[in-house]
Amino acid sequence: GAGVSQSPRYKVAKRGQDVALRCDPISGHVSLFWYQQALGQGPEFLTYFQNEAQLDKSGLPSDRFFAERPEGSVSTLKIQRTQQEDSAVYLCASRRAYEQYFGPGTRLTVT
Amino acid sequence: AQSVTQLGSHVSVSEGALVLLRCNYSSSVPPYLFWYVQYPNQGLQLLLKYTSAATLVKGINGFEAEFKKSETSFHLTKPSAHMSDAAEYFCAVTPSGAGSYQLTFGKGTKLSVIP
């Protein structure tokens, strides 16, 4: 079966632009996570969904970050008015039991 | 709250030598622990996990790790390094029990294998 997929794989945005990052989880996985991985660092939690419900968004760094999963499958992470500090790899993971399965990530570069 | 400390941001070993990557954790409740591997421009792949069964856990590619509660450690080992093991390795923790979900990661250890 297919793993977690993310698109685009690479995104270059000019400062101030809005971006949308997509995650397709493994079919049937109800739990979905977003993480941010800065260069040379470990991933850091952003937000968590169970089906369509966003149960935790405590890791979102500012109100410019918004995530949704309207039908409980595909999720979109949106960043408004991008800033240089938003440059990072954004990882999506879906979970079965205690195991999280990660996608390849979207590398966002803000110039 | 949970945290993970990985000692050594970069470890070099010779091909065929022992691999030892260190991980210490802090957790206010019994933890579940994980090791992930990340190859360049790829996502994280689960190597092995500890979820309160056996304290010595075997994973893929010949890796294993031992959960030591008294030392709050979960070090990753492999008896003989291969060139293909060169990658970045992340230790992660999550609280055990119902409702636990997010992973807290260490900063990672980059493993280089010298031929």
Side-chain angles (χ1 to χ4, degrees), chain B:
Chain B
Q2 295 77 42
S3 67
V4 172
T5 301
Q6 291 185 240
L7 289 176
S9 59
H10 195 172
V11 170
S12 293
V13 300
S14 298
E15 191 175 16
L18 172 72
V19 176
L20 170 60
L21 304 182
R22 299 180 185 274
C23 172
N24 288 89
Y25 70 90
S26 172
S27 179
S28 55
V29 299
Y32 289 163
L33 293 153
F34 306 81
W35 276 100
Y36 284 86
V37 60
Q38 187 175 36
Y39 297 98
N41 299 317
Q42 294 187 25
L44 285 81
Q45 180 183 9
L46 181 66
L47 276 178
L48 49 78
K49 64 182 185 293
Y50 166 77
T51 54
S52 72
T55 56
L56 181 61
V57 179
K58 295 186 183 298
I60 62 172
N61 301 339
F63 285 94
E64 65 180 37
E66 186 171 8
F67 172 69
K68 293 187 177 181
K69 183 178 179 181
S70 61
E71 298 177 9
T72 61
S73 69
F74 190 57
H75 302 330
L76 181 71
T77 60
K78 182 174 180 178
S80 176
H82 295 165
M83 295 298 296
S84 60
D85 295 327
E88 189 148 23
Y89 293 80
F90 292 93
C91 181
V93 65
T94 193
S96 61
S100 59
Y101 43 83
Q102 68 188 78
L103 293 170
T104 300
F105 287 86
K107 292 188 175 183
T109 297
K110 187 174 182 180
L111 176 66
S112 297
V113 181
I114 304 166

Side-chain angles (χ1 to χ4, degrees), chain A residues 19-79:
Chain A
V19 298
L21 313 180
R22 177 187 169 105
C23 172
D24 285 82
I26 294 172
S27 178
H29 284 191
V30 300
S31 298
L32 184 146
F33 303 80
W34 284 96
Y35 293 85
Q36 180 189 58
Q37 185 176 19
L39 188 64
Q41 301 295 317
E44 294 190 352
F45 171 77
L46 293 176
T47 188
Y48 161 63
F49 289 86
Q50 186 169 311
N51 294 306
E52 68 279 3
Q54 188 175 21
L55 299 185
D56 188 347
K57 55 182 181 179
S58 63
L60 296 177
S62 79
D63 59 8
R64 297 185 294 105
F65 286 70
F66 172 75
E68 61 183 5
R69 194 185 184 197
E71 298 179 356
S73 55
V74 171
S75 177
T76 304
L77 177 66
K78 298 180 179 178
I79 309 173

